[in-house]
């Protein structure tokens, strides 16, 4: 895996012998340095990236100074994951043994060589595809490779990759660029690390703390982040949000020091309400904090949108767009915490924001249907693209009967990205025709793009 490096210069660094020597420092050392805020960041030893069977605690106890890393190779899921991790290490110039980048009795693990029936085959094939096609230390090429895998490899076979790509990446990065300057970004639902990398590109140097419940996905995400050269700013934690949200602040100096100015929630939609309430109760959300939630139409989070709309502590936009690599409508909610929202209590122990009136019975029914649809998508034969599109229309019609409608079309953000923040966004101060912002997910905004609270 790559040691910390500037994404702008990582590719050039890899090309030089001095750069390779710098990148070969074990991550246990590289991540022991202080973050920009002065807080120690959690170490990410090499074994954490390659072994699905070791806990985070045991990985931290591993010595980071071994001169070479033998990760083992076999036909198991762990064997494939280990060989892919070895290729990540090799790309960074680590002294990996040649046999470690091969599966036992076979050639190097490639996306096409991973059997379809292998557990987590989609995610393992994704990582192999990125290692084959992306450039080490170049986060944009990593994101493009992930999107390419979803569109060109999975889609022809009727499969779907759940990442916030294309228009969703534009919404996410446009919103996060308007967060307060202070504070970290907290992501719930890392999956394979795509959105965390997108946010790290949009906001260089900002600490991104991301949670993922599935240990196998954590392995994939850590390798993605390291290959992109962003392991020094993105921390991937293993566990369920219900367990981790109350514990994470202590890993960064306590509730008084761990303040959050941006939140991206991409876990199960029925958890959005409870998890946001936990963050409010802990008092870690700064005034002006930007909260972005994915898939609030498909499968849907109707009771959560009701809470945002009637709670009185957030200014909201519900953004209409087309799902990544799927011909179906979806929404993302973008909410900015008002300055007059309840203030944090020193040391935590605050109250959950008022939620307003109880949601109507029909919205509760729609929430049940959304959870049922989400569960069906994880089972064989799953849910077809046509079924998803029909369900999205059903959800849209049901929520509209209770005043929950899309307030913004993502197409408007291509040239006017500040609109995603509503009253909290402002256009460039001096915007001539030649200075029109054409935004894709990896394009930095000009210095005159003023947003925030």
């Amino acid at each position: 895996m790559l040691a910390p490096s500037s994404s702008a210069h990582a590719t050039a660094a890899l090309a030089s012998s001095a750069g390779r020597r710098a990148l070969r420092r074990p991550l246990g050392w590289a991540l022991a340095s202080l973050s920009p805020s002065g807080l120690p960041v959690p170490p990410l030893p090499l074994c954490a990236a390659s072994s699905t069977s070791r806990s985070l605690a045991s990985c931290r106890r591993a010595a980071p100074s071994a001169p070479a890393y033998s990760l083992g190779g076999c036909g198991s899921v762990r064997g494939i994951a280990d060989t892919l991790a070895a290729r990540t290490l090799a790309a960074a110039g680590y002294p990996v043994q040649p046999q470690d980048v091969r599966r036992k009795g076979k050639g190097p693990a490639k996306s096409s060589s991973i059997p379809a029936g292998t557990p987590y085959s989609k995610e393992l094939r994704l990582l192999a595809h990125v290692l084959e096609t992306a450039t080490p230390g170049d986060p944009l090429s990593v994101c493009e490779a992930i999107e390419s895998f979803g569109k060109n490899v999975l889609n022809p076979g009727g499969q779907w990759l759940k990442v916030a790509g294309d228009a969703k990446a534009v919404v996410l990065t446009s919103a996060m660029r308007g967060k307060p300057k202070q504070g970290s970004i907290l992501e719930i639902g890392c999956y394979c690390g795509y959105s965390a990398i997108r946010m790290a590109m949009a906001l260089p140097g900002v600490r991104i703390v991301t949670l993922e419940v599935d240990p196998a996905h954590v392995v994939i995400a850590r390798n993605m982040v390291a290959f992109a050269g962003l392991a020094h700013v993105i921390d991937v934690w293993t566990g369920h949000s219900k367990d981790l949200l109350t514990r994470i602040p202590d890993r960064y100096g306590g509730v008084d020091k761990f303040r959050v100015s941006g939140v991206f929630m991409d876990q199960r939609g029925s958890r959005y309400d409870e998890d946001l309430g936990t963050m409010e109760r802990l008092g870690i959300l700064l005034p002006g904090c930007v909260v972005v939630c994915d898939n609030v139409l498909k499968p849907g989070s109707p009771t959560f949108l009701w809470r945002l709309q009637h709670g009185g502590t957030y200014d909201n936009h519900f953004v209409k767009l087309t799902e990544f690599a799927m011909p179906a409508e979806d929404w993302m909610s973008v909410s900015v915490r008002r300055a007059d929202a309840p203030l944090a209590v020193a040391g935590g122990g605050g109250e959950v924001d008022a939620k307003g009136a109880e949601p109507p019975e029909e919205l509760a029914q729609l929430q049940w249907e959304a959870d049922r649809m989400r569960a069906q998508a994880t089972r064989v034969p799953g849910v077809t693209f046509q079924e998803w599109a029909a369900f999205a229309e059903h959800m849209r019609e049901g929520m509209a009967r209770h005043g929950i409608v899309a307030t913004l079309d993502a197409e408007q953000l291509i040239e006017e990205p500040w609109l995603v923040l509503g009253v909290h966004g402002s256009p460039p101060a001096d915007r001539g025709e030649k200075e029109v912002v054409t935004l894709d997910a990896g394009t930095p905004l000009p210095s005159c793009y003023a947003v925030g609270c």
Side-chain angles (χ1 to χ4, degrees):
M1 288 170 31
L2 300 178
S5 62
S6 167
S7 59
H9 304 290
T11 304
L14 281 168
S16 67
S17 58
R20 285 194 296 272
R21 285 196 298 271
L23 290 172
R24 285 175 58 177
R25 290 176 297 172
L27 287 179
W29 294 346
L31 296 188
S33 60
L34 294 181
S35 66
S37 62
L39 300 176
V41 299
L44 182 59
L46 298 172
C47 60
S50 62
S51 173
T52 58
S53 62
R54 297 190 184 187
S55 67
L56 185 61
S58 65
C59 285
R60 288 205 184 95
R61 292 194 293 269
S65 56
Y69 303 90
S70 180
L71 302 174
C74 61
S76 65
V77 174
R78 177 175 176 180
I80 295 173
D82 284 350
T83 57
L84 293 175
R87 291 173 60 188
T88 307
L89 297 173
Y94 277 87
V96 177
Q97 301 297 341
Q99 66 270 21
D100 289 331
V101 299
R102 297 175 177 271
R103 292 176 297 156
K104 190 173 182 180
K106 302 180 180 179
K110 296 184 178 180
S111 58
S112 59
S113 66
I114 298 172
T118 304
Y120 297 100
S121 63
K122 180 165 68 175
E123 291 76 20
L124 291 170
R125 289 165 60 205
L126 169 63
L127 177 57
H129 178 83
V130 170
L131 296 179
E132 292 166 15
T133 61
T135 303
D138 182 351
L140 180 57
S141 75
V142 170
C143 289
E144 290 175 343
I146 293 173
E147 292 181 356
S148 172
F149 180 79
K151 294 176 180 178
N152 303 325
V153 179
L154 292 183
N155 267 31
Q159 291 183 291
W160 178 58
L161 187 66
K162 190 187 182 305
V163 297
D166 286 349
K168 289 192 170 186
V170 174
V171 172
L172 177 60
T173 55
S174 299
M176 287 302 168
R177 282 185 173 109
K179 78 175 192 66
K181 292 183 179 180
Q182 300 79 19
S184 303
I185 292 177
L186 177 60
E187 178 185 41
I188 307 176
C190 179
Y191 188 41
C192 293
Y194 172 88
S195 52
I197 294 172
R198 279 291 186 195
M199 290 187 288
M201 284 194 294
L203 296 164
V206 173
R207 172 65 54 192
I208 297 174
V209 179
T210 178
L211 316 182
E212 173 55 47
V213 67
D214 191 315
H217 294 165
V218 170
V219 171
I220 302 295
R222 286 178 176 168
N223 277 274
M224 291 287 192
V225 167
F227 191 80
L230 295 172
H232 58 302
V233 294
I234 300 175
D235 304 332
V236 185
W237 295 89
T238 311
H240 196 285
S241 58
K242 185 175 182 179
D243 302 315
L244 287 185
L245 283 177
T246 56
R247 297 165 56 193
I248 282 292
D250 290 338
R251 306 310 300 251
Y252 295 87
V255 172
D256 294 335
K257 294 183 179 180
F258 181 69
R259 293 305 173 98
V260 175
S261 54
V263 176
F264 179 44
M265 294 199 284
D266 196 15
Q267 71 276 39
R268 190 173 77 247
S270 56
R271 286 219 48 90
Y272 290 171
D273 193 356
E274 181 176 344
D275 288 344
L276 183 60
T278 298
M279 289 181 267
E280 292 167 350
R281 186 172 61 253
L282 289 172
I284 62 175
L285 301 180
L286 290 171
C289 177
V290 177
V291 181
V292 180
C293 300
D294 195 9
N295 303 120
V296 294
L297 175 69
K298 177 195 76 62
S301 302
T303 56
F304 176 70
L305 296 185
W306 175 270
R307 180 246 224 252
L308 290 177
Q309 197 160 275
H310 294 269
T313 52
Y314 296 90
D315 293 313
N316 309 293
H317 257 324
F318 302 150
V319 186
K320 172 186 175 181
L321 39 68
T322 300
E323 177 62 88
F324 168 71
M326 182 187 294
E329 181 182 342
D330 197 10
W331 297 353
M332 297 178 77
S333 65
V334 178
S335 306
V336 180
R337 189 165 175 81
R338 295 176 180 173
D340 60 356
L343 296 176
V345 178
E351 297 293 332
V352 178
D353 292 359
K355 298 183 180 182
E358 287 294 317
E361 185 176 341
E362 183 182 8
L363 292 184
Q365 172 65 24
L366 288 174
Q367 185 67 66
W368 180 86
E369 293 177 15
D371 289 339
R372 186 166 175 254
M373 195 71 166
R374 186 178 289 106
Q376 177 61 36
T378 64
R379 298 192 292 262
V380 177
V383 181
T384 67
F385 291 172
Q386 293 76 15
E387 289 170 336
W388 273 126
F391 187 75
E393 183 177 355
H394 168 65
M395 292 292 290
R396 178 172 52 79
E397 292 174 352
M399 290 193 290
R401 286 192 287 270
H402 301 279
I404 301 175
V405 297
T407 58
L408 183 67
D409 193 313
E411 290 292 327
Q412 298 174 252
L413 303 180
I414 295 176
E415 293 188 354
E416 300 174 305
W418 56 87
L419 292 179
V420 75
L421 295 171
V423 297
H424 300 277
S426 58
D430 181 17
R431 181 172 175 259
E433 290 187 5
K434 295 183 179 179
E435 298 177 328
V436 171
V437 178
T438 56
L439 176 68
D440 62 33
T443 302
L445 292 176
S447 58
C448 58
Y449 176 15
V451 296
C453 304

